[in-house]
């Protein structure tokens, strides 16, 4: 019987992380600031490269590349969630816990998969009807990619959303 061993060390990963009961925590600037700080604290101890990120009201998507020889993304998410809870927990109107227990992780497999997930991260605010063009959503790495010419400013087009009503 073959022994199928997977070595995911140093790989690039796509994640979806959702708030508990889909609470719209990240409409609050303080919540977004606490999340930024939690990520910064985690990266200081357990480095990783953020390839792409988008924060939506009740969830986030991101693409990370871990250092060679490291595959412990679960520890990183545990630290981020715990630090966010400590930073945000005492100063909000929401009941604990803030996060769903699990998250979605997908190992990026090649250039095409990478591009697909980068596009998915950045188009998500339009997909959920939060804005009608990608560049209108401020909490995304999309703007950095426009500056580096990875995307044109008008990437994702401009769709008509009646009265700005979301599809969530």
């Amino acid at each position: 019987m073959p022994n199928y061993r997977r070595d995911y060390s140093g790989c690039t990963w796509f994640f979806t992380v959702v708030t508990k009961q889909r609470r719209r925590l990240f409409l609050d600037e303080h919540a977004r600031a606490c999340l930024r700080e939690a990520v910064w604290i985690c990266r200081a101890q357990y480095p990783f490269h953020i390839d792409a990120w988008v924060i939506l009201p009740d969830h986030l998507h991101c693409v990370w590349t871990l250092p060679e020889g490291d595959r412990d993304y679960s520890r990183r998410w545990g630290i981020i969630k715990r630090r966010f809870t400590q930073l945000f927990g005492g100063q909000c109107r929401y009941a604990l816990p803030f996060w769903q227990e699990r998250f979605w992780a997908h190992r990026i497999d090649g250039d095409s998969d990478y591009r697909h997930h980068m596009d998915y991260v950045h188009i998500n605010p339009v997909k959920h009807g939060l804005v009608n063009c990608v560049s209108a959503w401020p909490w995304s790495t999309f703007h950095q990619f426009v500056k580096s010419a990875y995307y044109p400013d008008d990437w994702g087009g401009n769709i008509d959303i009646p009265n700005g009503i979301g599809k969530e």
Side-chain angles (χ1 to χ4, degrees):
M1 177 186 301
N3 181 11
Y4 294 106
R5 241 181 124 179
R6 294 184 178 117
D7 180 14
Y8 295 141
S9 57
C11 290
T12 301
W13 295 86
F14 166 80
F15 300 101
T16 299
V17 183
V18 181
T19 61
K20 184 79 170 179
Q21 298 174 340
R22 290 261 181 193
R23 293 184 189 125
R24 298 168 65 86
L25 297 178
F26 299 117
L27 292 174
D28 182 313
E29 172 55 35
H30 181 63
R32 293 189 304 273
C34 290
L35 179 62
R36 269 191 307 273
E37 186 171 345
V39 170
W40 185 84
I41 289 167
C42 177
R43 287 179 74 195
Q45 187 175 11
Y46 295 97
F48 59 92
H49 180 263
I50 296 172
D51 296 64
W53 200 295
V54 66
I55 301 172
L56 297 136
D58 61 358
H59 68 288
L60 59 89
H61 299 287
C62 55
V63 176
W64 295 355
T65 300
L66 299 182
E68 268 315 303
D70 188 345
R71 59 179 169 199
D72 201 355
Y73 59 78
S74 287
R75 177 185 303 267
R76 288 168 171 86
W77 279 117
I79 291 169
I80 291 168
K81 287 177 170 185
R82 187 170 37 260
R83 291 299 289 164
F84 173 85
T85 298
Q86 291 167 346
L87 293 164
F88 187 62
Q91 304 175 13
C92 72
R93 65 187 188 279
Y94 296 99
L96 290 169
F98 297 123
W99 300 101
Q100 285 186 2
E101 289 183 27
R102 300 189 182 267
F103 54 86
W104 172 257
H106 165 78
R107 184 175 149 259
I108 301 295
D109 186 26
D111 292 341
S112 175
D113 196 31
Y114 181 81
R115 182 65 188 224
H116 168 78
H117 283 86
M118 295 292 282
D119 291 351
Y120 183 83
V121 166
H122 293 117
I123 200 75
N124 221 255
V126 174
K127 176 185 170 241
H128 286 284
L130 300 167
V131 292
N132 64 358
C133 63
V134 177
S135 63
W137 190 253
W139 304 294
S140 167
T141 54
F142 175 76
H143 307 285
Q144 296 167 2
F145 283 95
V146 169
K147 288 178 187 172
S148 70
Y150 185 89
Y151 291 114
D153 185 43
D154 62 351
W155 180 84
N158 190 0
I159 63 169
D160 184 28
I161 301 171
N163 302 319
I165 297 170
K167 300 174 188 171
E168 293 185 82

